């Protein structure tokens, strides 16, 4: 992989999660979840790691373990809007690369943070870079909560969808009980690297029609002809924490 240009990590950490309120402060093996994420990000090559939050309880927790915090508005419609506020507050240059690491992924491998930043640096035609992994089961392929991505030979994404894509028409006409041999669907992994200038343009665009129906904000970039580079993750990326069951699973893994 091409040597990574200097980059920063921003970790959005909202307190008011609808499914798991107070999620960033959930205790996992004696530490708040946001601390686990922060420590993973600090093991990457990032020059700076910042937690972006709209809640003083999260800010105080981060400061208590020595982390850097940027307070943001509680009115943002998306995590990307929150990121843009941070880069504006910090006065980062337009060519600076920032990586959005979700605040609910306490097992995020530092290597994939470096990977996504390096991929964006190596692909000047793209304004965004992200990662994917193979889908192994028919259940996952058909699950609308698992976002699929298809890409061109160049590595540039062509579409993201909750629908099962690409659809194996002939194979499923004959048998629908398993994924057909040769089909290689990809699950999108929600880590992103951006150039600061593109974040500034993003917040000025209205929600795209495709984005509105799929509820996938990355489709706003494609709708406006901005390239998204996608590659398979260099390491397995364990699932994040969305529910109480996820939290219990993470406690066992990190306990």
């Amino acid at each position: 992989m091409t040597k990574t240009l200097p980059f920063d990590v921003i970790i959005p950490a909202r307190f008011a999660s609808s499914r798991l309120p107070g999620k960033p402060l959930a205790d996992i093996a004696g530490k708040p979840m946001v601390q686990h994420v922060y420590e993973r990000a600090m093991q990457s090559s990032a020059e700076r790691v910042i937690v972006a939050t709209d809640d003083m309880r999260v800010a105080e927790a981060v400061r208590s373990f020595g982390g850097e915090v940027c307070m943001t508005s509680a009115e943002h419609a998306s995590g990307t809007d929150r990121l843009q506020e941070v880069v504006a507050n910090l006065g980062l240059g337009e060519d600076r690369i920032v990586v959005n690491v979700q605040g609910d992924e306490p097992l995020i491998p530092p290597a994939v943070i470096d990977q996504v930043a390096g991929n964006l640096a190596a692909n000047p035609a793209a304004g965004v870079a992200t990662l994917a992994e193979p889908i192994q089961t028919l259940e996952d392929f058909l699950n609308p909560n698992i976002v699929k991505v298809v890409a061109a030979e160049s590595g540039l994404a062509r579409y993201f969808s909750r629908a099962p894509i690409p659809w194996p028409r002939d194979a499923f006409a004959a048998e629908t009980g398993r994924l057909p041999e040769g089909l290689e669907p990809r699950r999108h992994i929600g880590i992103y690297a951006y150039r600061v200038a593109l974040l500034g343009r993003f917040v000025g665009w209205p929600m795209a029609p495709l984005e509105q129906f799929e509820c996938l904000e990355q489709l706003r970039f494609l709708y406006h002809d901005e390239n998204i580079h996608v590659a398979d993750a260099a390491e397995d990326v364990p699932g994040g924490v969305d529910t109480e069951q996820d939290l219990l699973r993470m406690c066992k893994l990190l306990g």
Side-chain angles (χ1 to χ4, degrees):
M1 184 174 68
T2 303
K3 187 178 186 300
T4 305
L5 294 174
F7 70 95
D8 306 304
V9 167
I10 300 174
I11 303 170
R14 288 180 63 250
F15 188 87
S17 168
S18 57
R19 285 189 285 182
L20 197 60
K23 182 164 64 170
L25 302 184
D27 185 275
I28 301 175
K31 298 178 184 178
M33 178 158 54
V34 68
Q35 183 173 353
H36 287 280
V37 181
Y38 186 91
E39 290 173 352
R40 291 272 176 160
M42 287 294 291
Q43 292 170 31
S44 75
S45 301
E47 293 191 344
R48 191 174 186 182
V49 178
I50 303 141
V51 175
T53 187
D54 56 3
D55 192 283
M56 284 305 300
R57 289 165 290 188
V58 176
E60 289 167 3
V62 173
R63 293 185 182 116
S64 73
F65 63 73
E68 183 176 358
V69 178
C70 183
M71 296 301 297
T72 59
S73 168
E75 305 303 318
H76 289 308
S78 74
T80 311
D81 293 290
R82 193 175 306 280
L83 252 70
Q84 194 278 331
E85 182 183 354
V86 174
V87 301
N89 287 343
L90 297 177
L92 299 182
E94 290 196 343
D95 291 332
R96 186 71 173 184
I97 291 173
V98 293
V99 176
N100 177 359
V101 173
Q102 299 297 332
D104 58 5
E105 296 206 13
L107 289 176
I108 186 78
V112 304
I113 300 175
D114 289 344
Q115 180 189 8
V116 75
N119 287 351
L120 183 58
N123 289 275
V128 185
T130 191
L131 299 175
E133 66 182 7
I135 291 176
Q136 306 287 0
T137 68
L138 179 64
E139 181 182 12
D140 284 350
F141 184 57
L142 299 176
N143 185 347
N145 294 315
I146 292 177
V147 178
K148 295 85 185 175
V149 58
V150 292
E153 184 180 22
S154 63
L156 298 180
R158 289 295 175 249
Y159 196 62
F160 296 83
S161 183
R162 298 183 181 279
I165 56 171
W167 182 258
R169 185 195 67 173
D170 293 343
F172 274 7
E175 180 186 358
T176 58
R178 62 182 178 87
L179 288 176
E181 187 175 347
L183 183 71
E184 298 180 343
R186 289 293 185 270
R187 167 185 173 262
H188 176 228
I189 296 169
I191 183 171
Y192 297 93
Y194 303 96
R195 289 190 177 85
V196 165
L198 182 53
L199 285 173
R201 295 198 296 276
F202 177 91
V203 297
W205 295 329
M207 182 179 289
L210 297 172
E211 174 190 4
Q212 183 175 359
F213 284 108
E214 292 260 24
C215 296
L216 298 173
E217 66 184 75
Q218 62 268 44
L219 293 176
R220 196 182 312 180
F221 292 106
L222 297 184
Y223 186 78
H224 289 276
D225 292 322
E226 295 289 349
N227 288 322
I228 301 176
H229 181 274
V230 59
D232 280 0
E235 293 185 17
D236 289 341
V237 180
V241 176
D242 287 320
T243 66
E244 192 70 38
Q245 290 73 25
D246 293 336
L247 181 60
L248 291 172
R249 173 178 59 87
M250 204 61 69
C251 288
K252 289 179 181 177
L253 289 171
L254 288 170

